[in-house]
Amino acid sequence: MPRWLISAVALSFVTACTPSQDRSYASKFVSGNTVVHEVFWGVDYTTPYPFTTSGEISCVYYPDFGIEVYFEPAGYSKDSSIGTPLNKAAAKALKRDGMKPNVPYSIKKGADLSEAIEVGLKACRNEN
């Protein structure tokens, strides 16, 4: 059997065993995060620090609701952690999936979240 034929057959087996990926969906998935701390917040932002601890503002973009923005306290940024939703898109996504945040609640009472949400939106838009 010619070598080119053996190579073609071997390549077809490798291709057949490779999991397929939905590129149209994967290309629409974007995520990012920004570490935040009360000591440094006032340098870049005008609103008071809205959280009770340091942590990360993270974002995820899925086509269903748009950019979802969450806060995760330091030490809780793991795959099994569900952060506190900061915007409507995040709250809708959690509700749709029947999920609830499982990290300590860390938003100060009456806090203005506008700049925190903008931090998350920028992280997904790569505008840092």
Side-chain angles (χ1 to χ4, degrees), residues 35-43 48-55 108:
V35 175
V36 293
H37 192 284
E38 186 167 18
V39 172
F40 305 109
W41 185 263
V43 173
Y49 188 69
F51 309 109
T52 59
T53 186
S54 60
K108 292 178 181 175

Side-chain angles (χ1 to χ4, degrees), residues 3-126:
R3 288 183 182 222
W4 67 269
L5 185 56
I6 294 170
S7 297
V9 170
L11 184 58
S12 69
F13 283 118
V14 170
T15 305
C17 294
T18 304
S20 82
Q21 295 179 1
D22 181 3
R23 294 191 189 279
S24 65
Y25 184 75
S27 66
K28 295 177 184 174
F29 172 80
V30 179
S31 68
N33 65 346
T34 302
V35 175
V36 293
H37 192 284
E38 186 167 18
V39 172
F40 305 109
W41 185 263
V43 173
D44 296 317
Y45 309 105
T46 58
T47 58
Y49 188 69
F51 309 109
T52 59
T53 186
S54 60
E56 290 184 359
I57 296 175
S58 61
C59 70
V60 180
Y61 172 72
Y62 288 109
D64 292 347
F65 298 117
I67 299 175
E68 303 166 24
V69 181
Y70 300 89
F71 176 74
E72 296 178 9
Y76 288 90
S77 301
K78 302 173 191 152
D79 289 338
S80 61
S81 297
I82 301 169
T84 302
L86 299 183
N87 66 349
K88 289 179 183 179
K92 285 181 182 179
L94 291 183
K95 184 176 181 178
R96 175 203 61 206
D97 295 337
M99 300 170 67
K100 293 183 180 183
N102 63 1
V103 297
Y105 191 76
S106 299
I107 298 175
K108 292 178 181 175
K109 188 173 183 167
D112 178 351
L113 296 175
S114 60
E115 285 187 310
I117 292 168
E118 191 57 35
V119 168
L121 295 174
K122 285 182 180 181
C124 267
R125 292 182 196 133
N126 293 320

